[in-house]
């Protein structure tokens, strides 16, 4: 940490945590320093630029419980690429977890329109649990599969 090699230090702290799980005081200190390293590493990482990078950053933020950052990344991705089905799907999940249910349904609808395969994923996704009881969710799941609006991939 003193050399500002936060990534390397984080690896070392993870090893300490794994190797000495019974050492309570050591674990607490290692976890504290690990959080500092992770925060410093994130601070020194350039912001995501492409829609794909922004969706990935949003996914990481969601997994860390930072819904506000996830929504920010997703909004940037959708501004650049409004037809990004993955961004719409993740946006639906993020909004669902935030309790913004109507908006979550709108993005899920768009994600399914752009890629009908999102329907089967949505039926099992725990991040969408908060909207499953809505009529809009059931309507999306029961709608006949339309042809995808995605452009065919060139081989």
């Amino acid at each position: 940490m003193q050399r500002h090699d936060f990534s390397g230090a984080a690896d070392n702290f993870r090893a300490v945590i794994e190797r000495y799980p019974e050492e309570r005081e050591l674990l607490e200190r290692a976890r504290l320093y690990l959080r500092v390293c992770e925060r410093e590493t994130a601070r020194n990482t350039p912001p995501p630029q492409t829609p794909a990078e922004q969706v990935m950053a949003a996914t990481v933020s969601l997994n860390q419980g930072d819904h506000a950052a996830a929504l920010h990344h997703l909004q940037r991705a959708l501004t650049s690429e409004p037809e990004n089905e993955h961004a719409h799907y993740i946006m639906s999940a993020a909004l669902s977890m935030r309790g913004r249910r109507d908006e979550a349904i709108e993005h899920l609808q768009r994600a399914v329109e752009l890629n009908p395969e999102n329907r089967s994923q949505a039926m099992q996704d725990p991040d969408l649990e908060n909207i499953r009881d809505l009529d809009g969710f059931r309507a999306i799941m029961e709608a006949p599969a339309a042809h995808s609006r995605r452009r065919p991939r060139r081989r």
Side-chain angles (χ1 to χ4, degrees), residues 8-144:
D11 291 340
N12 289 333
F13 289 124
R14 285 186 195 98
V16 167
I17 291 168
E18 186 177 313
R19 197 170 298 148
Y20 302 102
E22 68 285 345
E23 298 291 334
R24 186 173 163 254
E25 289 181 38
L26 180 63
L27 280 178
E28 288 176 15
R29 177 82 39 112
R31 286 182 181 133
L32 172 69
Y33 290 145
L34 176 59
R35 283 193 299 273
V36 169
C37 291
E38 289 171 341
R39 184 179 65 236
E40 289 300 318
T41 300
R43 189 177 296 165
N44 294 325
T45 303
Q49 298 301 313
T50 67
E53 290 172 351
Q54 292 159 349
V55 171
M56 179 57 74
T59 302
V60 170
S61 294
L62 275 181
N63 290 337
Q64 293 173 344
D66 189 350
H67 299 159
L71 291 172
H72 171 75
H73 292 305
L74 291 165
Q75 193 58 52
R76 287 183 63 213
L78 288 169
T79 297
S80 297
E81 199 174 276
E83 301 295 304
N84 185 320
E85 55 96 6
H86 193 62
H88 280 286
Y89 185 89
I90 301 298
M91 179 67 92
S92 178
L95 291 167
S96 174
M97 288 187 275
R98 294 283 291 216
R100 295 167 57 182
R101 296 164 29 120
D102 292 337
E103 293 169 272
I105 289 292
E106 290 173 19
H107 283 280
L108 181 60
Q109 175 70 44
R110 190 69 188 124
V112 170
E113 287 171 0
L114 292 167
N115 182 0
E117 292 176 15
N118 283 319
R119 182 179 284 115
S120 61
Q121 182 175 340
M123 290 172 38
Q124 299 175 28
D125 192 335
D127 293 337
L128 299 176
E129 186 64 36
N130 192 33
I131 62 173
R132 280 210 175 84
D133 64 332
L134 297 178
D135 291 337
F137 183 88
R138 286 190 292 276
I140 293 167
M141 295 304 111
E142 294 169 0

